[in-house]
Amino acid sequence: MPMNDPFAPIGAAAAPHGAEKPSRSIVVPVPDDAPAIPKHKLGRPQGEWRYLDSAGRLLGYVFRFDTTDGGKQFRPCTLWRDDTTGAEEWRWESWPSPRPLYGLDRLTARPQAVVIVTEGEKACDAAGRLLRSFVAITSPNGAKSAGKADWSMLAGRRVVIWPDADKAGLAFAAAVTKALRNVAADVRMIPPPDDCAVGWDAADAEAAGWNEVRAAAFVDRSQSVDVAASNSGRESGPDRKRESRSDALMQKLEGTDL
């Protein structure tokens, strides 16, 4: 979809002090005659992910921007309508809660497939290529916003969580596990490899040359969250082997309040 003036106002002018702010409603699905998306002040996006509903209709975007300091930033972009004037405009903000999942069209098309949940759209796409017999999905806005997504579409599904190998990944896995309690038929999590870098994810695995066979073997290492919790009475003491990174991750998840 075309973009126009990079310095165009994102929304309507700010209301005077004390004045009531204009009321807006999100527009989903996005109509074919929607206005052009304004360019962001961060410049041209280096990544674009289209969020679709179960029927394949556009709900909005997530864009990735590379910053001058070598970092990256992600910005959702959604369409909104002024409830008074009826005017529509794209805004650099996320969907209201509960937010849609990325991959709803694939999820609906394959109702029997096991679901792989990753953190972030890039990792989700990589997991989908590595595990073609699975359906890969994720939630928008990163690890801290998993609880704001609509996970009801996973009702009765078998789910495997492939978290990033860091504290944010642990928090994301815990939030997804909590959201799927009494929703999914089964929830499992894959402990990260002990020798992986901090933050390692499915995209890193693909970049390292993993193929479908290796990825499937990795998924076979997944552990049931409930089973892990029941094994809290592990052997301890001086004779116990040094705890691996994956063991530590699973132990921390055991303490999650579900």
Side-chain angles (χ1 to χ4, degrees):
M1 188 169 290
M3 297 185 178
N4 49 34
D5 180 11
F7 298 103
I10 294 176
H17 181 69
E20 184 177 350
K21 293 183 179 179
S23 175
R24 300 183 181 91
S25 302
I26 193 164
V27 181
V28 288
V30 175
D32 294 336
D33 60 351
I37 299 176
K39 287 185 178 179
H40 197 278
K41 63 182 180 180
L42 292 174
R44 182 181 296 276
Q46 302 303 309
E48 174 188 314
W49 292 273
R50 292 164 54 91
Y51 274 67
L52 307 176
D53 66 11
S54 58
R57 297 172 299 186
L58 181 65
L59 300 176
Y61 296 88
V62 168
F63 294 102
R64 190 199 79 201
F65 297 90
D66 294 341
T67 56
T68 55
D69 60 359
K72 56 185 178 182
Q73 294 188 24
F74 295 87
R75 292 289 185 271
C77 192
T78 50
L79 185 66
W80 294 77
R81 178 182 296 118
D82 187 298
D83 293 337
T84 301
T85 66
E88 295 179 352
E89 65 174 352
W90 290 93
R91 299 179 63 83
W92 294 102
E93 58 185 78
S94 192
W95 299 265
S97 298
R99 297 167 179 168
L101 298 174
Y102 175 66
L104 287 176
D105 54 326
R106 301 187 295 268
L107 187 70
T108 303
R110 303 174 61 192
Q112 302 302 319
V114 178
V115 180
I116 291 286
V117 178
T118 67
E119 179 191 332
E121 294 85 5
K122 182 180 179 181
C124 182
D125 288 347
R129 291 186 291 265
L130 289 173
L131 299 163
R132 298 185 184 276
S133 63
F134 296 73
V135 175
I137 67 166
T138 190
S139 55
N141 298 96
K144 295 182 179 180
S145 297
K148 297 180 180 179
D150 182 5
W151 297 95
S152 64
M153 292 294 290
L154 271 62
R157 302 292 290 254
R158 292 176 295 154
V159 179
V160 178
I161 304 172
W162 183 338
D164 290 7
D166 54 21
K167 291 182 178 180
L170 171 64
F172 176 79
V176 174
T177 300
K178 181 178 180 179
L180 292 178
R181 189 184 186 193
N182 299 324
V183 174
D186 180 62
V187 180
R188 305 178 66 86
M189 192 183 79
I190 316 172
D194 291 330
D195 58 351
C196 70
V198 174
W200 180 91
D201 62 10
D204 295 315
E206 184 181 43
W210 280 34
N211 57 23
E212 191 165 1
V213 173
R214 186 171 181 182
F218 179 64
V219 173
D220 285 342
R221 299 175 60 244
S222 65
Q223 302 176 25
S224 170
V225 174
D226 292 335
V227 170
S230 68
N231 290 334
S232 57
R234 287 187 174 92
E235 178 185 358
S236 60
D239 295 332
R240 183 183 174 186
K241 293 174 62 178
R242 186 173 62 88
E243 183 177 72
S244 69
R245 181 189 300 177
S246 60
D247 290 337
L249 183 62
M250 293 303 295
Q251 277 198 337
K252 289 179 181 178
L253 189 60
E254 290 171 16
T256 303
D257 182 9
L258 300 183

